Amino acid sequence: RDLHSFPTRRSSDLEEAEAHRAEVQRFADRFSGYYLPVIAGVAALTFLIRHDPLATTAVLVVACSCSIALATPIAMLASIGASARRGLLIKGGKYLEALARADVLLIDKTGTLTLGRPEITDIVPVSKLSRSELLTLAASAERFSEHPLAEAVRVAAEQEDLPFQEVKDFEAVPGMGIRANVNGSFLVVGNRRLVPEAGAFAAELEEEGKTLLFVSRNGELAGVLAAADTLRPEVPAALDQVRNLGIKRIELLTGDNERVASALAQRLGVEFRANLLPGHKIGAVRAYQAEGHRVVMVGDGVNDAPALAQADIGIAMGAAGSDIAIEAAHVALMREDWLLVPEVFRIARRTLGVVKMNLVFTALYNVVGLALAALGFLPPILAAAAQSLPDLGILGNSARLLRQR
């Protein structure tokens, strides 16, 4: 999928962007509400002190509150629009502001750091089952699962032309695996938490960084399938760029066990938490938020959606992610390119810098204009021309955000 595949979603996201305005924008709106009484007071003082109706008129004419109100939304909308063309859907200015101040990055593993297309590498039957029989049972049980590992099992069975058997009472257990009745047998396919009879079986495969799917039939371990996924090639460079931007705390959150998580975390030079359920990921986000951190969460799947929504900024891998994750997130990457993650950080910081520049410029311009008008150096005709210049300055400064590099 690409950006042009989402015309309806893009429209709704732009509407959501308007609804979620940045705190600095709300500050400008509040300031504009107090601006008129202040200007009226300055005009009144000018008339009382100097008794000059022309100077008083010039004060009222040169004062331009709309420039203050425009300082933030023009920059935010320019940045959001430019980002959309580059494959970044940002759902509101408040998220740009939060991104600019973020200091913690939490990352899901499967489908986020990896391509989400794992392949079965090892099939190890136990007891009297053959390799083909084990794969047939597992593929049949995983027939209705939407998890990438389930797809890998089905693909492996199809490549060997194995038939799918009848499935009843299918049940998905989030973060663990599935249960189902297959051809009269009760099957459980999942990790060690869902298949406790697995014990420490096949630990050497986990040390290789592979994810294991244990298959239990009627309460007895039937075998194990090992799957390996490919790390997205641009991830190491992207994480280095994120660190260079000042995000020192980067942590991997995964439902895989410690051996698998450790192998990947060491490769990337990040911390990790393993054996996590979807609720645990929310807990990790909330724990950092309770310490006063601004948290960014990157994920792609249904299991990540609650954590994406809880984070200060949730970033969804929109090109290959689930619709639920995209809906829950505040930023969606519509290209499968991890380099967009550090880019959105840079865009946010540049946008906030332009907003601050707009506000400072507007404030100084109005102070100087009011002073000149009150002292009689700026006649009403020139004041009328001068009051439009801040708007042009803000438009010109904000237009730089349309040329994101």
Side-chain angles (χ1 to χ4, degrees):
R1 295 183 285 181
D2 58 23
L3 180 61
H4 302 290
S5 303
F6 293 87
T8 302
R9 183 179 303 281
R10 179 165 52 179
S11 175
S12 63
D13 284 342
L14 289 177
E15 292 173 2
E16 188 169 354
E18 178 63 23
H20 292 87
R21 298 183 297 170
E23 179 62 32
V24 68
Q25 183 174 346
R26 291 194 291 270
F27 162 78
D29 292 342
R30 290 193 300 268
F31 181 84
S32 297
Y34 294 104
Y35 189 68
L36 181 58
V38 171
I39 296 305
V42 172
L45 288 174
T46 300
F47 183 78
L48 291 174
I49 295 173
R50 302 192 70 244
H51 303 290
D52 186 345
L54 290 179
T56 304
T57 302
V59 167
L60 294 173
V61 170
V62 78
C64 181
S65 63
C66 64
S67 61
I68 298 172
L70 287 174
T72 300
I74 291 296
M76 293 292 183
L77 289 176
S79 194
I80 290 172
S83 299
R85 291 198 301 271
R86 299 177 64 83
L88 280 164
L89 290 185
I90 302 170
K91 298 183 180 180
K94 66 179 290 186
Y95 305 123
L96 280 173
E97 185 176 10
L99 269 168
R101 297 170 178 171
D103 57 351
V104 173
L105 176 62
L106 304 180
I107 312 169
D108 171 57
K109 174 180 171 284
T110 303
T112 302
L113 286 177
T114 62
L115 292 173
R117 296 188 290 270
E119 297 180 352
I120 300 299
T121 59
D122 302 88
I123 301 174
V124 184
V126 179
S127 68
K128 299 179 181 180
L129 282 178
S130 68
R131 179 183 178 280
S132 296
E133 289 173 335
L134 175 63
L135 183 56
T136 297
L137 288 173
S140 299
E142 295 276 21
R143 190 171 182 177
F144 302 114
S145 175
E146 298 180 354
H147 196 279
L149 289 174
E151 176 65 18
V153 176
R154 292 193 295 267
V155 169
E158 291 169 356
Q159 290 174 345
E160 298 188 17
D161 295 324
L162 298 176
F164 290 96
Q165 298 178 354
E166 183 181 3
V167 180
K168 295 181 180 179
D169 302 324
F170 174 84
E171 178 191 3
V173 184
M176 293 189 183
I178 61 96
R179 300 187 185 100
N181 282 303
V182 177
N183 203 24
S185 297
F186 178 66
L187 285 185
V188 180
V189 183
N191 55 32
R192 295 184 193 276
R193 286 171 294 177
L194 195 61
V195 188
E197 54 266 32
F201 183 71
E204 66 278 1
L205 293 174
E206 292 176 324
E207 293 174 355
E208 298 175 10
K210 297 178 180 179
T211 301
L212 302 188
L213 283 175
F214 296 97
V215 182
S216 171
R217 183 172 67 166
N218 297 326
E220 295 183 0
L221 183 65
V224 61
L225 285 71
D229 203 350
T230 303
L231 181 71
R232 295 180 186 271
E234 71 276 12
V235 165
L239 290 181
D240 287 340
Q241 292 183 29
V242 170
R243 291 188 189 94
N244 292 336
L245 290 169
I247 309 298
K248 302 302 182 184
R249 186 69 177 183
I250 303 176
E251 193 167 353
L252 170 66
L253 306 181
T254 178
D256 289 333
N257 61 52
E258 287 84 355
R259 296 186 186 92
V260 176
S262 177
L264 181 58
Q266 288 181 6
R267 181 177 175 183
L268 297 175
V270 300
E271 301 295 325
F272 72 91
R273 300 189 196 190
N275 294 313
L276 299 183
L277 297 175
H280 296 150
K281 294 181 181 180
I282 300 176
V285 173
R286 288 175 176 168
Y288 279 117
Q289 290 174 330
E291 296 173 1
H293 295 285
R294 293 286 182 93
V295 181
V296 179
M297 173 73 191
V298 186
D300 77 305
V302 174
N303 291 345
D304 303 320
L308 291 173
Q310 175 64 40
D312 295 284
I313 311 94
I315 301 178
M317 304 295 291
S322 70
D323 288 344
I324 294 177
I326 297 171
E327 201 66 36
H330 313 114
V331 177
L333 310 184
M334 306 317 294
R335 287 191 284 117
E336 289 195 61
D337 184 357
W338 240 85
L339 292 174
L340 289 175
V341 174
E343 182 172 347
V344 76
F345 278 96
R346 285 192 290 267
I347 288 172
R349 294 183 180 187
R350 188 180 182 204
T351 302
L352 205 60
V354 168
V355 168
K356 292 178 179 178
M357 191 180 302
N358 285 347
L359 290 173
V360 171
F361 166 73
T362 301
L364 291 176
Y365 189 93
N366 278 281
V367 168
V368 172
L370 287 172
L372 292 176
L375 295 174
F377 296 113
L378 193 66
I381 294 178
L382 292 180
Q387 68 91 27
S388 63
L389 293 180
D391 297 349
L392 298 176
I394 287 171
L395 290 171
N397 191 41
S398 300
R400 297 186 296 119
L401 295 169
L402 297 172
R403 300 185 298 273
Q404 301 282 3
R405 294 184 178 181

